[in-house]
Structures are given as structure tokens and as C-alpha cells.
Amino acid sequence: MNEPVWDPYDRNCPSRQVLDRVGDRWSVLVVGALTQGPRRFSELAKTVDGVSQKMLTQTLRGLERDGLVARTIFAQIPPRVEYELTASGRSLSEPMLALEEWTKANMPRIVTAREAYDGAHAPKA
Amino acid sequence: MNEPVWDPYDRNCPSRQVLDRVGDRWSVLVVGALTQGPRRFSELAKTVDGVSQKMLTQTLRGLERDGLVARTIFAQIPPRVEYELTASGRSLSEPMLALEEWTKANMPRIVTAREAYDGAHAPKA
DNA sequence: CGGAATCCGAATGGATACTG
DNA sequence: CAGTATCCATTCGGATTCCG
């Protein structure tokens, strides 16, 4: 019955890798975009502004490998591939979205803090 | 009254940078560690296994700049510096901890998914 | 003890060209 | 359209050294 104790604070624990992926910049945005429903590769590329096709592919493969995203290929010309969250992916989207919401809600405070910090640490010339 | 609309999906929006920091691998672990209470530099280095002194310093500076962590220096020999979460930092710790919890709770599924994926995509030799 | 600064190899990530 | 494969610049990040 004793389940293994996953400890991301241990550099050798597999959970560390997963936390890395889950905390990845592009993963958060891609999962967030997929929360709206299935999306095609090109749609994701447009939604997640600034992501290169290389990184988008990498991110999607990683999410797919971890069972968070499902990839469906429609045999037709031109090719059509859709990505959508799996049950795991949907459960992950909750804490991820919370992070996104926190960010948006706290931007004013952070911007202020940055200005204060930069003002107090930069003055040299 | 109309607040600015923060959109992390826009590469030029400041919220993108903040989401990046918040989703940073070390940030998540450091904030998590600080949830227990104030910690000294050396204690954090020990808790967050695998982090170099350089990255720990960088991470702490970044968090400090964003007003998430407070740094207190005790004038004594040898030097003593403590870090602790600010109010902002504590509010951030909630979604971050949720992410950590999600990871630990879903590790079994992910490990299984990875094995399945690797088994289906690797076989070449 | 708690850093800052430097050096440098490794990994990241963008741009580009090519394929099914 | 949806990738894969390369090339290459930038960044990351560890190890080391030195300072308050």
C-alpha cells in the first residue's frame, strides 16, 4: 500500500522532470490554449504568439508523451492534425490556469515592485 | 476604470515575462521551500537539491525584484541573510503548490504514459 | 556565510530549407 | 498543412575564484 514518495526537491526524482515540464513556459501557454477545445497545429502557432514551430512541436510531443495531450491525424489533403487535452491534461489545466490568473491579477503589483527595485539598484551613471 | 488587459499569449505583454518567471523550474521550488517559513541562503541551497549557488542567487534576485520575496541581512559575523515570502509571494505559493501537488499526485499516470509512448516510438534497432 | 565575477562547455531556441 | 532536419547565435548553468 505504501506509495512511493515523490519528491521534486530531490534532483533525481522523476517528479522533478515532470515539474519542469509542467512549469515550462510554452507548456503553460499551450495547455491554456487547448482548454478552449481541440486546436490544429497552425491555430496553436497563431494563438501562442512568439512560439517557433520547432518549440511548438517539441512542446506538443512532450505533452503527448506525458499523456496530457492527444494527437489526431485526419487522413486528407492537405493534412489536418488536431490536438486536444486528455483527462490528465484537463486536470492539469486547472492549476495551470490558476497560475495564469494569478499572473494577470497581480501584474500591477509586480510592475510596481520592479520599478522600485530597478530604481533602487540601477543608479550608477 | 478599465484596467489594462494582460495577455500572456501576446509575446510583448509584460505578463508573459512574469508567467515565465512564475513558471520557472527553480522559482517553483524556491517558493515552495519558503512556504515553510524564512530560510537562509545555505538552507535553501540544501533544500533545493541540485541548484547551483549561481542559479539560486539569480532566482532569489528575480523573485525579490518582483516583490515576491523579502531579503533581510543581519549585521553580524559571519553574515546571516534570510529570505521569506512577502504577501504577494504567499498568494503565489498557492497556485504553485497546487502545481507541485498535481505533479506528485499524477506521477504514476505520467510514468505509465511515458513508458507507453517510448515503447511505441523508440523501437528501431 | 553569502555572495559577485569570470570562464566555458552544454543546452536552448530561432531561422531556414526540405519533405510527405 | 504539419512537420523534420540543419545550422548557428544566444543563453543557461556549473565550476572556480575572490571579496565583504
Side-chain angles (χ1 to χ4, degrees), chain A residues 48-117:
Chain A
V48 183
D49 185 41
V51 68
S52 66
Q53 141 269 55
K54 178 184 178 179
M55 292 292 36
L56 181 55
T57 298
Q58 262 185 36
T59 301
L60 286 169
R61 290 294 170 281
L63 293 172
E64 192 191 351
R65 181 165 104 101
D66 287 348
L68 302 169
V69 163
R71 181 166 177 263
T72 307
I73 305 174
F74 295 84
Q76 59 184 50
I77 307 291
R80 176 188 180 83
V81 179
E82 280 194 354
Y83 295 89
E84 67 179 320
L85 295 179
T86 60
S88 288
R90 281 193 294 279
S91 79
L92 171 60
S93 74
E94 293 175 29
M96 274 193 173
L97 250 26
L99 215 52
E100 194 179 313
E101 288 310 310
W102 183 91
T103 298
K104 290 192 282 189
N106 290 275
M107 281 303 295
R109 276 201 292 184
I110 293 177
V111 169
T112 301
R114 284 190 175 182
E115 290 172 350
Y117 184 94

Side-chain angles (χ1 to χ4, degrees), chain A residues 16 23 49 65-66 114 118, chain B residues 16 23 65-66 114 118:
Chain A
R16 171 69 74 89
D49 185 41
R65 181 165 104 101
D66 287 348
R114 284 190 175 182
D118 293 347
Chain B
R16 171 68 75 88
R65 182 163 104 100
D66 287 349
R114 285 191 173 181
D118 292 347

